[in-house]
Amino acid sequence: MARLLVVHHSPTRSTQALLDAALAGARHPDIEGVEVQVVPALEATADDVLAADGYLLGTPANFGYMSGALKHFFDSTFLQVGGALDDSGGAGDGSGGGSTAKRPYGLWVHGRYDVTGAVRAVGSIVQALDWRQAAEVLEVVGDVDDAALESATELGGTLAALLT
């Protein structure tokens, strides 16, 4: 059975609502053969990442960046799951073909005013992991409305369906 790992930081009603909607999509009854594993970002491990076939990431945008919890997730798993560093010690270009290379991922980000920095930061890291972006990033700015929830449901469903 394929496994979709959902790593998130959902400390607010808005981010929790997006998580719930994404999970509803990923667990849609028409999608069979996919186990959905949900792990808070501060608890996710390299073993979780290595055991998954695809990833769905969720974070608030805090001060123009991803949450500290999601950053901790990447910091604590990056090298163990095949991330590459360049000669300067920065994230490599992903051409190393690590153990999770080419696996699909999706991302949702919620911010009050702007999510640009958070989206860019996550994109840089997953590029160095050589994960494959499988859906458009869901960028939600301001209130989480029905359209945002519908998009989150679609995002979760898309990622799960890709693993069948």
Side-chain angles (χ1 to χ4, degrees):
M1 179 175 290
R3 178 178 294 166
L4 175 62
L5 176 63
V6 181
V7 178
H8 68 96
H9 183 62
S10 303
T12 66
R13 285 189 308 271
S14 296
T15 52
Q16 185 64 48
L18 291 167
L19 171 64
D20 292 343
L23 292 176
R27 293 174 172 153
H28 191 280
D30 291 344
I31 300 173
E32 297 179 0
V34 177
E35 173 190 356
V36 179
Q37 179 186 9
V38 183
V39 184
L42 290 173
E43 298 174 19
T45 67
D47 288 340
D48 295 327
V49 176
L50 293 170
D53 302 292
Y55 314 99
L56 184 53
L57 309 170
T59 183
N62 295 330
F63 305 108
Y65 200 69
M66 75 181 94
S67 69
L70 192 64
K71 176 72 166 65
H72 170 79
F73 160 71
F74 285 126
D75 286 346
S76 63
T77 63
F78 185 80
L79 293 176
Q80 293 172 290
V81 302
L85 299 177
D86 65 20
D87 292 339
S88 73
D93 64 5
S95 61
S99 58
T100 62
K102 305 302 180 204
R103 292 184 189 171
Y105 83 93
L107 170 67
W108 81 86
V109 180
H110 175 260
R112 278 285 136 210
Y113 308 104
D114 184 30
V115 298
T116 306
V119 171
R120 182 177 40 248
V122 172
S124 295
I125 294 168
V126 296
Q127 178 182 348
L129 289 168
D130 203 20
W131 293 356
R132 177 177 53 86
Q133 184 175 340
E136 187 175 325
V137 174
L138 175 56
E139 299 180 25
V140 181
V141 177
D143 293 335
V144 174
D145 59 14
D146 289 342
L149 294 174
E150 184 177 315
S151 294
T153 302
E154 184 177 319
L155 177 63
T158 297
L159 264 291
L162 286 171
L163 300 180
T164 61

